[in-house]
Amino acid sequence: IALLKDCSLLITHDSGPLHLAKLAKCKVLALFGPTNPASRLAKDENIEVIWGGADLPCRPCYDGKRFADCQNPLCMRSITPYEVIEKALAMSKTKKLPLLE
C-alpha cells in the first residue's frame, strides 16, 4: 500500500492490486471483463473503468462463485491497448506517458 501511495496511476484488472490501490487512494484504471464493475466497486473519483465486451450477450459470466467455462475471453480481448492508453492519458496529470516519447 505504501508503494501505491507514490504511484500516479495504476492500470490493473479486477484483482487484489485494484483493491489495495483504493486503500492507498491511488488513481486506478481498472479493466473488467467477466465481472460487472458495479458489483465490485462503489463510486470512487479515483477509479475509472473499462468494461470490455459491451455487446456480448454472455457478459457478465461470473455468478459470484464461478466463471463460465470460456475458452475465448472476448470481453477482455476487446479492450485494446489504444483504448487503455487513451484513458490513461486522460487520467494523467501530465497528459503524456514517458515510455511513449
Side-chain angles (χ1 to χ4, degrees):
I1 293 174
L3 291 174
L4 291 168
K5 285 182 179 182
D6 290 334
C7 291
S8 57
L9 176 67
L10 174 69
I11 300 172
T12 186
H13 63 294
D14 178 22
S15 65
L18 164 63
H19 302 287
L20 293 174
K22 281 177 48 179
L23 292 173
K25 298 187 181 351
C26 173
K27 280 189 180 181
V28 178
L29 176 52
L31 311 179
F32 279 77
T35 57
N36 182 341
S39 70
R40 301 280 175 235
L41 296 173
K43 187 101 169 134
D44 187 318
E45 64 186 36
N46 286 327
I47 298 176
E48 294 281 338
V49 171
I50 298 175
W51 189 15
D55 298 327
L56 296 173
C58 57
R59 184 192 83 158
C61 66
Y62 180 66
D63 66 7
K65 296 178 185 174
R66 290 178 297 265
F67 290 95
D69 185 19
C70 181
Q71 301 303 315
N72 190 14
L74 294 174
C75 56
M76 292 303 288
R77 290 179 184 209
S78 72
I79 299 172
T80 66
Y82 178 81
E83 183 180 11
V84 174
I85 290 169
E86 187 176 65
K87 185 78 112 173
L89 287 173
M91 294 176 72
S92 171
K93 290 179 183 175
T94 63
K95 302 293 184 202
K96 60 183 178 178
L97 294 178
L99 297 176
L100 299 178
E101 294 180 349

